Amino acid sequence: MKHVLSVIDLGRDDLEMILDRSAVMKKRYQQGIHDPLYQGKTLGMYFEKPSLRTRVSLECAVNSLGGGSVNLESNGPGILWQRECVKDQARVMSRFVSMVSMRTFSQAVIEEFAREASVPVVNVLSDFAHPTQAMADFMTMRERFGDLRGKTLAYVGDGNNVARSLLSAAAYLGVRFIWSGPDGYRLTDDYVARVKAKVPDVQFVEESDPVKAVREADAVYTDVWASMGQEGEAAKREQEFARYQINEDLMAKAPRHAIVLHCLPAHRGSEITDGVMDGPQAAVYDQSENRMHIYRGLFTLWANEWSPDNE
């Protein structure tokens, strides 16, 4: 496992290995056990989009393992690549850092960088995928429910990068995935076909009625209706998604044990209400915390594979 660019390309074994290792590392962290596996090593971080959870969790993860970080950021798409092409940056950065994280507008940029890099690259958000978010989400579900095979995740909202990553992870982990949202915002047929080619017995359901979607859900998930770069569509999406809000009435139709998930930041009063965000079923802050533990687990796997003896 050299890179983590998307869940669909990761596969079941690597996904479960990351989740297992992250659970171990979280326990060690909570026990105050220090694992200085990255002493003297540096994480190179690329940010084309603003970030709270991603940046802080990455820096805390590498710092907790004894390493450091260097940050390169811009205020818009493509700016980081105007002065020097992706290929050259990947080759140069590989001489300085032990691994690279990338939060960009373009999946193609991450994939090109990874092809040219000689160190591990992790996608921490692109227009296509958000693999580490999905890992943190299923880590949170594992903590609540144990074995996830046969559980149901209802995703109510836009079929975006998060939804794609969740569907892929659900398929590999034996979780039934229900998508519910307006017709024009479905997961694309070609992506669903790609998942089915990888996991023929994937349990994927499309349900336009959000009440029916959550009726048997163990977890109910939502995301913002308009992501970064879609601000011009916000008013239109607000109208089209209005009936898909995660509110107290909708959660009353779900099983009492169901948890509520949101990758954050949340637009309170739009896709989710204050009552649900602050209510007893919400696990959104556990998700946020687990982002750091997913990175710690992933970094320790790379520390083993990319030791000085292997370089």
Side-chain angles (χ1 to χ4, degrees):
M1 181 182 56
K2 183 176 180 182
H3 306 300
V4 174
L5 308 185
S6 68
V7 177
I8 188 65
D9 292 324
L10 197 60
R12 177 183 285 114
D13 291 344
D14 282 344
L15 174 59
E16 290 187 340
M17 179 171 59
I18 294 169
L19 291 174
D20 290 344
R21 177 63 68 90
S22 298
V24 170
M25 292 305 295
K26 180 175 182 177
K27 185 176 182 179
R28 292 175 66 81
Y29 183 87
Q30 292 174 332
Q31 292 173 340
I33 299 173
H34 299 286
D35 296 288
L37 300 173
Y38 274 83
Q39 193 74 42
K41 295 187 177 184
T42 302
L43 166 68
M45 304 188 300
Y46 279 90
F47 284 95
E48 287 188 314
K49 295 184 175 186
S51 173
L52 170 62
R53 278 152 298 282
T54 302
R55 180 166 178 177
V56 174
S57 60
L58 279 167
E59 290 197 16
C60 288
V62 72
N63 289 345
S64 72
L65 297 172
S69 60
V70 59
N71 182 48
L72 296 93
E73 59 186 337
S74 71
N75 294 317
I79 297 174
L80 284 168
W81 324 111
Q82 290 176 359
R83 184 171 177 271
E84 189 169 12
C85 69
V86 175
K87 177 191 295 187
D88 289 345
Q89 290 201 43
R91 293 176 177 179
V92 169
M93 287 291 284
S94 296
R95 301 294 182 99
F96 296 136
V97 303
S98 300
M99 54 194 171
V100 172
S101 65
M102 304 188 75
R103 180 181 174 94
T104 76
F105 285 88
S106 171
Q107 179 76 11
V109 165
I110 297 178
E111 292 180 354
E112 180 183 358
F113 195 104
R115 284 195 299 270
E116 300 295 335
S118 58
V119 296
V121 176
V122 56
N123 174 4
V124 294
L125 184 140
S126 73
D127 58 339
F128 174 74
H130 202 348
T132 56
Q133 177 65 59
M135 293 175 195
D137 301 335
F138 282 98
M139 181 178 182
T140 304
M141 288 183 64
R142 272 185 164 192
E143 291 173 344
R144 294 298 183 100
F145 303 122
D147 183 14
L148 295 182
R149 192 160 297 275
K151 299 298 183 184
T152 296
L153 171 62
Y155 180 94
V156 182
D158 186 17
N160 58 14
N161 51 358
V162 172
R164 281 189 286 270
S165 298
L166 288 170
L167 171 59
S168 303
Y172 287 135
L173 297 172
V175 174
R176 181 169 63 143
F177 186 86
I178 301 174
W179 173 86
S180 185
D183 184 61
Y185 300 92
R186 298 167 52 247
L187 288 151
T188 59
D189 292 339
D190 61 334
Y191 190 78
V192 174
R194 186 176 170 189
V195 173
K196 289 181 177 179
K198 292 274 190 177
V199 187
D201 60 349
V202 58
Q203 300 176 72
F204 173 62
V205 177
E206 291 181 324
E207 174 53 69
S208 60
D209 184 345
V211 172
K212 293 180 180 178
V214 306
R215 192 166 287 163
E216 298 179 350
D218 297 290
V220 178
Y221 200 118
T222 191
D223 190 6
V224 294
W225 292 336
S227 299
M228 281 181 282
Q230 298 173 333
E231 289 81 4
E233 304 174 27
K236 174 175 177 285
R237 286 170 175 254
E238 192 85 14
Q239 292 182 338
E240 294 178 329
F241 280 96
R243 68 185 288 245
Y244 296 96
Q245 183 186 67
I246 306 300
N247 53 38
E248 292 87 334
D249 289 342
L250 183 63
M251 288 308 300
K253 306 299 192 299
R256 293 183 64 181
H257 72 268
I259 61 173
V260 176
L261 302 174
H262 192 311
C263 54
L264 302 182
H267 293 166
R268 289 171 175 250
S270 290
E271 76 275 2
I272 193 168
T273 61
D274 281 332
V276 174
M277 273 285 290
D278 299 326
Q281 291 174 282
V284 296
Y285 304 116
D286 294 336
Q287 289 174 269
S288 293
E289 178 187 350
N290 283 337
R291 289 283 295 279
M292 180 184 71
H293 298 298
I294 286 294
Y295 294 136
R296 281 170 49 81
L298 182 59
F299 293 166
T300 61
L301 289 169
W302 278 337
N304 291 341
E305 295 179 9
W306 293 82
S307 67
D309 293 337
N310 295 331
E311 293 180 348

